[in-house]
Amino acid sequence: MTEIRILCGIEGAKQAEGTAVIIDVFRAFTLEAYLYAADAEAIYAVASVEEALAWKQKDPSVLLCGERDGKISPGFDFGNSPGAIAGKSFAGKTIIHTTTNGVQGIASAQAASEVLTGSLVNARATADFIRRQNPRLVSLVCMGWKGRQTEEDQLCADYLKALMEGTSFPELEERALALKEQEGKKFFDPAQQEVFPEADFWMCIRHDLFPFAIRAEKEGTCYHNRKLEV
């Protein structure tokens, strides 16, 4: 029987053992799933903006995606917005990705034996992958926002837990829509549309769109967030 723990933030990532799922629904790991669905060749997660820019200087063919405090980082091709990449092809492209929360969680999960990313859009595929592995322990880490627990990541953790345990989760749609009045309300603020466009909200709360999980594999100072067909 697999033991499932739910943890929070960077400290939770540091405590994660066994198979860790680093959850960032708004928006890092939702974006990565959409990038792979748009035929991206590879995604590498790096901890700092400076490392991403240095990679671009050495290899101008890569695309930089990332943010700090939600805003696109200067010199980057894209921010962290799924809506900004909608309808675009990334066939053959390598993406370098850095964010305020999700990517930092990957780097902090040093005690885990395996690290996956977590979002609603590929939750079922992620749960199916873990169930096939049948690990002794799973750590679901809700990254939240700068150490503050947020409702969308908790929802994803609860849903993943139910999927792995084979139990029903009838409240999924209701809790997803309730995010409009919770952490998701920033996507409906007219003053924040440039940073948090409304389209991102609807793209992030969709569930089970994609039949693949994403595993973070350490390569040097970065992580290759590799697509795994399930």
Side-chain angles (χ1 to χ4, degrees), residues 80-230:
N80 203 39
S81 167
I85 69 159
K88 295 178 170 61
S89 171
F90 291 84
K93 292 294 185 180
T94 294
I95 312 296
I96 313 302
H97 192 202
T98 185
T99 71
T100 303
N101 300 291
V103 169
Q104 311 308 319
I106 290 175
S108 298
Q110 296 294 314
S113 56
E114 182 171 50
V115 178
L116 305 173
T117 70
S119 68
L120 289 171
V121 293
N122 66 338
R124 185 174 295 276
T126 303
D128 287 347
F129 176 80
I130 295 171
R131 290 178 69 177
R132 290 177 192 174
Q133 301 289 99
N134 194 29
R136 179 187 62 82
L137 174 63
V138 174
S139 300
L140 304 177
V141 184
C142 306
M143 287 311 300
W145 179 255
K146 294 186 175 181
R148 174 173 57 82
Q149 191 164 358
T150 54
E151 298 89 354
E152 77 285 356
D153 290 346
Q154 183 65 53
L155 170 59
C156 187
D158 292 343
Y159 182 45
L160 282 167
K161 186 173 186 288
L163 288 169
M164 284 185 277
E165 293 176 340
T167 58
S168 64
F169 199 77
E171 64 268 37
L172 176 60
E173 300 287 352
E174 181 181 355
R175 284 179 61 181
L177 288 175
L179 294 169
K180 289 177 65 176
E181 305 302 325
Q182 300 166 343
E183 186 65 22
K185 63 185 177 183
K186 60 192 174 189
F187 296 102
F188 298 88
D189 180 352
Q192 297 193 72
Q193 287 303 292
E194 186 176 345
V195 178
F196 299 110
E198 181 180 338
D200 284 4
F201 176 84
W202 300 109
M203 292 178 75
C204 288
I205 69 164
R206 297 185 71 183
H207 61 90
D208 307 325
L209 281 181
F210 305 125
F212 54 80
I214 298 175
R215 180 169 59 201
E217 302 172 359
K218 189 169 177 58
E219 294 186 7
T221 61
C222 69
Y223 289 83
H224 184 178
N225 288 1
R226 190 187 301 273
K227 182 174 75 168
L228 304 172
E229 297 290 348
V230 176

